[in-house]
Amino acid sequence: MTDGPTYGFDTLQIHAGARPDPATGARQTPIYQTTAYVFRDTDHAAALFNLQEVGFIYSRLTNPTVAVLQERIATLEGGVGAVCCSSGHAAQIMAIFPLMGPGKNIIASTRLYGGTVTQFSQTIKRFGWSCKFVDFDDLDAVRAAVDDDTRAIFGEVIANPGGHIMDVRAIADIADEAGVPLIIDNTSATPYLCRPIEHGATLVVHSTTKYLTGNGTVTGGCVVDSGKFDWSANDKFPSLSQPEPAYHGLKFHETFGALAYTFHGIAIGLRDLGMTMNPQAAHYTLMGIETLSLRMDRHVANAKKIAEWLENDNRIEAVTYAGLKSSPYYERGAKLCPKGAGALFTIAVKGGYEACVKLVEALEIFSHVANLGDTRSLVIHSASTTHRQLSTEQQVAAGAGPNVVRISVGTEDPDDLIADLDQALSKAAS
Ligand SMILES: *Cc1c(COP(=O)(O)O)cnc(C)c1O
């Protein structure tokens, strides 16, 4: 199909990027389980390697199944192009790689997925990169953290684990003033609930492992480019604006215009870092994404019903869901994510650590796992698992204190989920 602006989200999540297979007419996108592609002749091969013609060379760079998913996600996010990767964490490295160099830094929100905090605070230091973590509700502090070596600002719309909502527009304005891109991790919201590019984001990253695939089958990631950033407006992004020695002096921005960042991601990022999504994973994610809006509506309705029930239960101290009128993020959430504030939040349980351990052990439908965004409802007690190595003080600062359980609400019957929580909370209190 040709993607027109007239098509709605429900149509695009099924059709964008896909067409009947030209070789066989297969209606569903085939899994192109191949490493390489035969060149028509040596001129064709040379044109492909010179990026004068777009086509398939080798599946570390491009694959037809993965290409459909890339176009699908780019369309749903309102971007010009996307590059899929082997995981959400791979997508984050791929996203900042073209922007960074030794001594350069990014500014990130303090409210992030735990693995992202470790990646940005520890692992990227090995590349000579660094990250400053700032409370994104304190705009003056964000502005003050920007320096001459800052190359990007990074945050999550609906932040893990507490479901805090970020003021994307206000942070985008600070990024604009600084002449650097704003990168949004849109994993928890998905493009159905929020399209960060419409609020000023330059780049959007996803862990496609979560809601986009939707049923906990494969890991994957994606980097989407809005195509709106002027990489040549200042001298901060030489890999995009200047001759790139890793691609025989090609000037990506001059050559590819709005698609410069996407081409760079494939021709240099995937080529040299090799964090490639495999076609099987792309297939599973394409299957999942077809029902994204249907699932998200149900995730949100269930989350709202369960959060309201929990808020009124006297075994619970607090519920962080931004979809509750009592949440300090309720207004911002309603503006940014009018269809709902997602399905991820935390609860503080009376009785502390011991009660939380009993609760997760007593639950029958909810699974105790380190994952989110599954059709299955999931819980995790961070203090005894992912945040075990931290001091109590550090756990509290991360929103994962000893009395906190994170809930990822699935698409089961909400009354069954409430009944399960009810019986498990009774056991936790005894
Ligand atoms: C899971 C997750 C990631 C990391 O993605 P992986 O696919 O597990 O590598 C990053 N950000 C958020 C918000 C996540 O939920």
Side-chain angles (χ1 to χ4, degrees):
M1 87 187 247
T2 50
D3 308 333
T6 50
Y7 293 122
F9 192 96
D10 292 345
T11 306
L12 293 172
Q13 71 184 357
I14 296 170
H15 292 285
R19 48 199 69 79
D21 181 45
T24 62
R27 178 59 276 211
Q28 189 51 272
T29 300
I31 304 170
Y32 284 91
Q33 198 65 61
T34 184
T35 308
Y37 308 84
V38 178
F39 305 122
R40 289 194 302 270
D41 50 37
T42 47
D43 286 344
H44 177 223
L48 290 176
F49 276 96
N50 281 338
L51 299 178
Q52 287 156 337
E53 190 178 325
V54 177
F56 299 102
I57 299 175
Y58 186 67
S59 282
R60 175 160 25 86
L61 289 84
T62 47
N63 172 280
T65 313
V66 178
V68 173
L69 179 61
Q70 289 172 162
E71 197 174 329
R72 181 85 44 91
I73 299 175
T75 304
L76 296 180
E77 286 287 2
V80 294
V83 179
C84 281
C85 319
S86 51
S87 71
H89 269 9
Q92 291 170 189
I93 293 293
M94 284 278 292
I96 61 175
F97 172 69
L99 318 175
M100 300 297 275
K104 307 305 176 204
N105 68 69
I106 59 173
I107 293 168
S109 168
T110 45
R111 298 190 192 91
L112 294 177
Y113 178 73
T116 306
V117 174
T118 311
Q119 189 185 53
F120 287 172
S121 63
Q122 304 299 329
T123 303
I124 65 170
K125 284 200 279 197
R126 292 164 182 248
F127 304 134
W129 311 342
S130 62
C131 177
K132 304 184 204 181
F133 293 94
V134 184
D135 176 358
F136 274 19
D137 281 340
D138 185 347
L139 298 178
D140 290 334
V142 179
R143 219 173 272 114
V146 174
D147 65 32
D148 290 346
D149 289 323
T150 300
R151 290 295 176 270
I153 300 181
F154 186 101
E156 297 175 10
V157 177
I158 302 178
N160 195 328
H164 301 89
I165 309 278
M166 170 181 165
D167 188 345
V168 179
R169 184 76 258 172
I171 301 288
D173 288 343
I174 295 173
D176 285 349
E177 282 166 37
V180 301
L182 172 64
I183 307 174
I184 293 291
D185 180 342
N186 200 29
T187 300
S188 306
T190 81
Y192 179 64
L193 298 182
C194 180
R195 305 206 325 155
I197 289 170
E198 289 173 0
H199 303 282
T202 301
L203 305 168
V204 176
V205 295
H206 277 283
S207 167
T208 60
T209 313
K210 313 293 170 53
Y211 293 105
L212 296 189
T213 304
N215 44 24
T217 47
V218 286
T219 63
C222 189
V223 186
V224 183
D225 179 21
S226 64
K228 289 180 180 161
F229 196 84
D230 182 355
W231 303 108
S232 307
N234 55 43
D235 57 5
K236 293 184 173 174
F237 306 103
S239 191
L240 290 152
S241 64
Q242 301 300 312
E244 172 50 73
Y247 218 98
H248 48 72
L250 186 74
K251 288 186 176 182
F252 277 84
H253 194 208
E254 190 181 285
T255 310
F256 300 113
L259 282 168
Y261 181 89
T262 302
F263 270 84
H264 191 286
I266 295 166
I268 297 192
L270 289 181
R271 187 196 64 183
D272 295 349
L273 299 178
M275 299 165 164
T276 307
M277 178 181 278
N278 68 75
Q280 283 279 351
H283 167 74
Y284 280 111
T285 305
L286 280 166
M287 294 303 94
I289 222 168
E290 293 189 351
T291 57
L292 179 64
S293 64
L294 287 71
R295 287 183 286 108
M296 291 315 291
D297 279 337
R298 182 59 176 262
H299 277 295
V300 165
N302 279 3
K304 201 161 171 283
K305 190 165 181 184
I306 290 165
E308 279 165 3
W309 181 82
L310 286 164
E311 189 178 37
N312 290 313
D313 191 281
N314 59 19
R315 293 163 293 188
I316 300 294
E317 253 162 41
V319 182
T320 61
Y321 189 48
L324 289 172
K325 290 217 172 74
S326 57
S327 164
Y329 294 96
Y330 179 79
E331 303 280 319
R332 192 184 285 171
K335 254 194 251 160
L336 213 58
C337 309
K339 295 196 201 80
L344 187 70
F345 57 86
T346 59
I347 54 173
V349 183
K350 285 182 191 161
Y353 189 96
E354 289 306 317
C356 289
V357 169
K358 282 190 196 162
L359 171 70
V360 296
E361 282 177 357
L363 285 165
E364 282 165 13
I365 302 174
F366 286 81
S367 307
H368 187 209
V369 299
N371 191 20
L372 60 97
D374 193 322
T375 43
R376 274 151 282 273
S377 289
L378 312 173
V379 288
I380 191 156
H381 181 226
S382 306
S384 63
T385 56
T386 51
H387 291 59
R388 201 185 173 82
Q389 318 296 337
L390 305 188
S391 68
T392 304
E393 238 169 48
Q394 287 174 311
Q395 289 173 349
V396 171
N403 62 337
V404 171
V405 171
R406 185 186 77 188
I407 302 186
S408 170
V409 178
T411 58
E412 301 98 331
D413 186 321
D415 294 331
D416 290 343
L417 296 175
I418 288 172
D420 193 25
L421 286 164
D422 192 24
Q423 64 81 20
L425 282 167
S426 293
K427 287 185 185 142
S430 69

